Amino acid sequence: MSNMAVLEGVLERITYANEENGYTVARVDTGRGAGDLLTVVGALLGAQVGESLRMEGRWGSHSQYGKQFTVENYTTVLPATIQGIRRYLGSGLIKGIGPVMADRITTHFGVDTLDIIENAPKRLVEVPGLGPKRTRMIAAAWEEQKAIKEVMVFLQGVGVSTSIAVRIYKKYEDASISVVKNQPYRLAADVWGIGFLTADRIAQAVGIPHDSPERVKAGLQYALSQSSDQGHCFLPEERLIADGVKLLQVDTGLVIECLAELAADPEGVVREKVPSPEGGEPVTAVYLVPFHRAELSLAGQVRRLLNTGEDRMPAFQDVDWDKALAWLATRTGASLAPEQQEAVRLALSRKVAVLTGGPGCGKSFTVRSIVELARAKRAKVVLAAPTGRAAKRLSELTGAEASTVHRLLELKPGGDAAYDRDRPLDADLVVVDEASMLDLLLANKLVKAVAPGAHLLLVGDVDQLPSVGAGEVLRDLLTDGGPVPSVRLTRIFRQAQQSGVVTNAHRINAGQPPLTEGMNDFFLFVEDETEDAGVLAVDVAARRIPARFGLDARRDVQVLAPMHRGPAGAGHLNGLLQQAITPGRPDLPEKRFGGRVFRVGDKVTQIRNNYDKGENGVFNGTVGVVTALDADEQRLTVRTDEDEEIGYDFDELDELAHAYAMTIHRSQGSEYPAVVVPVTTSAWMMLQRNLLYTAVTRAKKLVVLVGSRKAIAQAVRTVSAGRRCTALDFRLRGGGGGDFA
């Protein structure tokens, strides 16, 4: 085995960085002149471009890249030459100093620059263009950087990525190292981006025993939290115990003991007997506390709205419907089909109602009719949808203002709503479109804010994929024998029958293959190889559709993939689409973050709920375009679909992903002029009817499928297996305990 060697050099650029494990490929300047850069690979966690590094490792050779150095560990050495200092400061490491300012500061102070920033930062005002405010900011950023470095050095041994180390520091500041050493499992609950597995790796490194009850309890809560990410509100106890044993690799007896302790803790978990999601014998359900509370509360609130004696729209209890509907037809220029009339009557005379149906069946026109009639009787109507795009569409449809549910409820940092049971919305009728996207927690907040006597109408397509968050609220409300009245529109209107998009959506939903010949708005490009299908999908989206249909590749065309991974997955396609639509240019500022590059003009999406950003939070699935990127301020600005400017510090960029391509799950509630869907056999396990149906129904004008006929046939044939674990339908029928406020 070769001996350890030491290499010193300035980190010039990071070619690749894996944020999960810190593995990095980088180029360093060893100062040998001739502009030669050397490749180094390995755990360069936390190292920043421009830093001088002292690396320990081994020399080796790579068949493609030649001689390279594998780093086992490194330390940062402050640069000693003016050129090194200028490069170091200009790298964006210190907020407030970009390349231009770094040049001015080093020109003024020379090799003493770093010493001045460290020991006499007030002298920075001597530099032209640096006022006291900027000087203070630079001094504070330098101190924070030093403190973060200390945490980094400590965390390096346990393989925590740079961005997570920064987040740990921001959360706990000076207590960071103490928390990490003594209470590592707190990290999984407190710090976004750290799950149980990372916390467990840290705990192992700081010596917490494998069979510690603290570890087992944290693991069980993690298993429940993972299941909520897959849509479940609870797990059956036996399944949770089996998952816990597998995850933690400990005895079953210890898992059962720790689960009992968690169930005895008011903030731990809740155990309750409920009907099995698969039918058959009841199961003991284990819930995380927030999901149990929300399920009880939502069922109780719906029943309370249905059963109240108050009515804020009493005029519709004894209205002459023939007369009302005739008046409506003169207003809208079209009369309603019988099932649409039933929906109108239901929404205006019952306190809670659901309207469902596929595309082209007149849901939108029905909603418009309901709003027209309610307004004619001077009712206060409030319109909302889960996403900015869906709210915009609802607003265009009804001619009235519509907002996102989050904005309507004025959610505050931490997720509490300004409107709730004690301060309900001032509305006689609340209409929520795209209700299939409402997860349990959001639906509970919404229904809580509806005033007693007000009417609530939920509109959505129950055959689409269920919400990204936990629960199947729309489906549970529509359960046979439940208390909530509903109408399902099934008749496809004549003008919609001309549309290949609508026709094929209904064919797919009925288990029939889509028609792909002779349509002018629905196409199939056959390509059996997954990699080739990915490349072709990019060409169709970025070049062919814009050229033939005059649509804008960034704004009007959306690539929707069944999965994130793989050559035809959203992750890989985003890289190819970015190259095609927003390629790098010397005059275009950009920021590399982990394996991604952000540029002005990039289409991006938020990938977590962040209640602290924007006016009422920014939520998972919000889409926008990068409008500014400031290397000095280390900040990037995104204009969202709701026309709100949101700032992101560079260390928050893991909250953003590119959105040229996205998974079909993430596209719910959105509508695009054109949709391109790669359907390949590599996504075999994901290919299900409601997935393809959801993708096709996202398109307003045009669908292009790219892939194999075999994969499309598999998707059409496969009905989604298994229901989500939820007991809302049981509680709506009066099962389970009382309700929570």
Side-chain angles (χ1 to χ4, degrees):
M1 203 182 208
S2 59
N3 292 330
M4 291 285 273
V6 173
L7 176 71
E8 292 196 358
V10 175
L11 184 60
E12 283 293 321
R13 71 170 175 268
I14 292 173
T15 312
Y16 168 79
N18 183 323
E19 286 292 315
E20 295 298 310
N21 58 22
Y23 178 81
T24 305
V25 179
R27 305 276 281 162
V28 298
D29 183 352
T30 55
R32 295 203 183 107
D36 283 353
L37 298 181
L38 185 78
T39 299
V40 297
V41 299
L44 283 167
L45 205 61
Q48 302 272 0
V49 169
E51 287 184 316
S52 296
L53 307 178
R54 186 174 190 278
M55 296 161 282
E56 290 185 6
R58 303 177 195 282
W59 288 101
S61 184
H62 186 279
S63 56
Q64 195 175 342
Y65 303 112
K67 190 178 181 186
Q68 61 182 32
F69 190 78
T70 301
V71 181
E72 305 227 340
N73 54 62
Y74 78 92
T75 51
T76 304
V77 188
L78 287 176
T81 65
I82 290 182
Q83 187 192 352
I85 293 168
R86 183 182 296 129
R87 185 90 180 80
Y88 175 64
L89 287 179
S91 67
L93 181 72
I94 306 299
K95 207 168 189 175
I97 305 182
V100 174
M101 196 49 75
D103 194 38
R104 281 192 208 158
I105 295 171
T106 46
T107 301
H108 191 82
F109 293 116
V111 289
D112 298 330
T113 296
L114 299 181
D115 190 44
I116 298 282
I117 295 174
E118 171 85 38
N119 299 310
K122 286 182 178 167
R123 283 193 58 198
L124 288 169
V125 294
E126 296 171 21
V127 177
L130 263 186
K133 188 181 170 190
R134 187 76 109 35
T135 298
R136 282 195 299 274
M137 183 174 144
I138 290 168
W142 179 264
E143 286 304 314
E144 184 181 32
Q145 197 57 41
K146 269 174 36 188
I148 290 173
K149 269 283 184 286
E150 202 182 317
V151 176
M152 292 277 190
V153 168
F154 173 71
L155 290 175
Q156 208 167 334
V158 291
V160 176
S161 75
T162 316
S163 62
I164 286 176
V166 169
R167 236 187 261 128
I168 290 173
Y169 178 78
K170 281 192 165 176
K171 177 75 185 170
Y172 305 116
E173 293 184 335
D174 295 345
S176 296
I177 290 173
S178 161
V179 170
V180 169
K181 272 185 180 165
N182 303 314
Q183 301 168 281
Y185 292 106
R186 258 183 77 184
L187 301 174
D190 291 354
V191 183
W192 183 74
I194 297 188
F196 171 79
L197 300 179
T198 305
D200 199 35
R201 202 166 64 227
I202 295 170
Q204 213 176 336
V206 298
I208 287 179
H210 188 71
D211 58 359
S212 136
E214 186 195 356
R215 174 176 184 264
V216 177
K217 286 187 213 170
L220 286 168
Q221 287 181 304
Y222 167 72
L224 282 173
S225 153
Q226 283 291 95
S227 75
S228 74
D229 288 347
Q230 285 149 21
H232 300 299
C233 300
F234 68 81
L235 279 183
E237 186 174 42
E238 287 176 14
R239 186 163 144 198
L240 175 61
I241 290 167
D243 286 356
V245 169
K246 190 173 163 191
L247 169 74
L248 298 159
Q249 300 289 299
V250 294
D251 291 343
T252 307
L254 178 60
V255 171
I256 291 170
E257 268 174 49
C258 289
L259 181 55
E261 283 179 36
L262 273 175
D265 175 356
E267 293 304 311
V269 299
V270 178
R271 287 197 288 200
E272 187 188 348
K273 272 260 191 283
V274 302
S276 164
E278 308 301 331
E281 290 296 302
V283 295
T284 299
V286 185
Y287 286 84
L288 288 171
V289 173
F291 292 100
H292 186 257
R293 279 195 185 137
E295 203 172 79
L296 281 177
S297 168
L298 177 55
Q301 299 287 352
V302 168
R303 290 207 315 272
R304 190 179 294 120
L305 287 175
L306 282 166
N307 299 331
T308 180
E310 296 174 55
D311 193 344
R312 291 182 58 150
M313 294 203 298
F316 291 102
Q317 293 308 330
D318 51 8
V319 76
D320 179 336
W321 283 107
D322 290 342
K323 203 168 157 189
L325 294 169
W327 173 86
L328 185 64
T330 62
R331 290 277 297 180
T332 57
S335 50
L336 293 165
E339 55 189 18
Q340 290 177 306
Q341 292 180 12
E342 190 193 343
V344 169
R345 281 197 291 268
L346 211 55
L348 296 172
S349 60
R350 299 292 292 272
K351 307 293 170 37
V352 183
V354 175
L355 172 60
T356 189
C361 293
K363 280 200 309 294
S364 298
F365 186 66
T366 307
V367 170
R368 187 181 145 200
S369 302
I370 290 164
V371 172
E372 285 276 0
L373 273 176
R375 283 227 202 92
K377 293 289 186 189
R378 304 261 186 285
K380 284 183 184 163
V381 182
V382 165
L383 305 169
T387 65
R389 277 183 180 232
K392 254 185 188 163
R393 201 169 66 239
L394 185 59
S395 184
E396 286 160 10
L397 167 77
T398 57
E401 196 184 330
S403 68
T404 62
V405 176
H406 302 102
R407 219 173 254 256
L408 174 68
L409 299 177
E410 290 181 18
L411 290 186
K412 302 287 179 227
D416 289 329
Y419 292 94
D420 57 18
R421 201 168 152 187
D422 298 327
R423 187 196 174 199
L425 295 161
D426 181 18
D428 304 320
L429 170 64
V430 178
V431 180
V432 183
D433 199 8
E434 294 290 354
S436 62
M437 291 181 68
L438 286 177
D439 62 38
L440 175 67
L441 299 181
L442 186 58
N444 178 44
K445 286 188 171 84
L446 170 72
V447 176
K448 222 188 263 193
V450 178
H455 293 225
L456 172 65
L457 174 65
L458 298 173
V459 184
D461 184 347
V462 75
D463 294 321
Q464 283 180 29
L465 289 166
S467 56
V468 175
E472 277 190 292
V473 174
L474 191 65
R475 179 157 293 173
D476 284 341
L477 289 169
L478 283 164
T479 304
D480 288 344
V484 179
S486 62
V487 171
R488 184 182 190 120
L489 303 179
T490 53
R491 180 185 145 192
I492 306 172
F493 284 90
R494 196 170 63 245
Q495 63 271 34
Q497 289 170 5
Q498 316 303 312
S499 157
V501 175
V502 170
T503 302
N504 280 328
H506 285 276
R507 286 182 66 87
I508 290 164
N509 204 25
Q512 299 167 334
L515 304 169
T516 55
E517 301 289 326
M519 298 268 180
N520 59 10
D521 63 350
F522 200 104
F523 300 90
L524 167 64
F525 287 74
V526 177
E527 185 51 80
D528 289 334
E529 292 301 317
T530 299
E531 206 157 315
D532 295 341
V535 171
L536 179 55
V538 169
D539 188 47
V540 167
R543 195 176 61 80
R544 297 192 196 190
I545 289 176
R548 177 160 171 196
F549 294 96
L551 295 172
D552 181 278
R554 186 187 290 108
R555 189 185 59 239
D556 301 329
V557 184
Q558 184 63 53
V559 176
L560 298 178
M563 324 172 37
H564 184 75
R565 293 165 196 261
H572 179 64
L573 296 185
N574 261 319
L576 298 179
L577 285 158
Q578 185 192 33
Q579 281 171 23
I581 297 168
T582 318
R585 298 200 315 259
D587 59 327
L588 193 68
E590 59 179 46
K591 169 64 184 171
R592 183 173 288 278
F593 186 90
R596 300 197 285 267
V597 179
F598 290 96
R599 301 186 180 116
V600 170
D602 268 340
K603 184 175 176 180
V604 292
T605 180
Q606 172 83 9
I607 56 172
R608 68 170 285 226
N609 288 348
N610 186 334
Y611 295 97
D612 300 325
K613 280 201 173 301
E615 203 180 322
N616 299 117
V618 182
F619 296 90
N620 189 351
T622 300
V623 174
V625 173
V626 178
T627 52
L629 203 157
D630 188 323
D632 286 8
E633 298 297 326
Q634 292 182 46
R635 199 164 170 79
L636 171 155
T637 306
V638 173
R639 175 170 280 280
T640 70
D641 268 354
E642 294 175 58
D643 290 332
E644 190 176 9
E645 296 273 346
I646 305 286
Y648 291 82
D649 290 339
F650 282 173
D651 60 18
E652 298 176 311
L653 292 183
D654 51 356
E655 292 191 17
L656 288 178
H658 290 98
Y660 299 100
M662 62 173 75
T663 61
I664 296 166
H665 274 94
R666 293 194 68 82
S667 72
Q668 286 168 268
S670 293
E671 201 178 59
Y672 315 94
V675 162
V676 179
V677 191
V679 189
T680 66
T681 50
S682 68
W684 198 252
M685 298 305 290
M686 295 294 292
L687 295 176
Q688 292 174 350
R689 188 180 298 169
N690 62 352
L691 191 83
L692 185 57
Y693 174 73
T694 300
V696 168
T697 55
R698 298 307 86 218
K700 269 197 283 203
K701 297 177 182 166
L702 175 69
V703 171
V704 182
L705 304 181
V706 180
S708 74
R709 293 186 193 278
K710 185 180 174 187
I712 292 166
Q714 165 72 3
V716 170
R717 202 170 44 235
T718 310
V719 178
S720 159
R723 289 288 304 272
R724 291 181 166 190
C725 293
T726 140
L728 178 62
D729 56 345
F730 164 66
R731 299 186 198 286
L732 283 165
R733 290 195 298 266
D739 59 36
F740 281 72

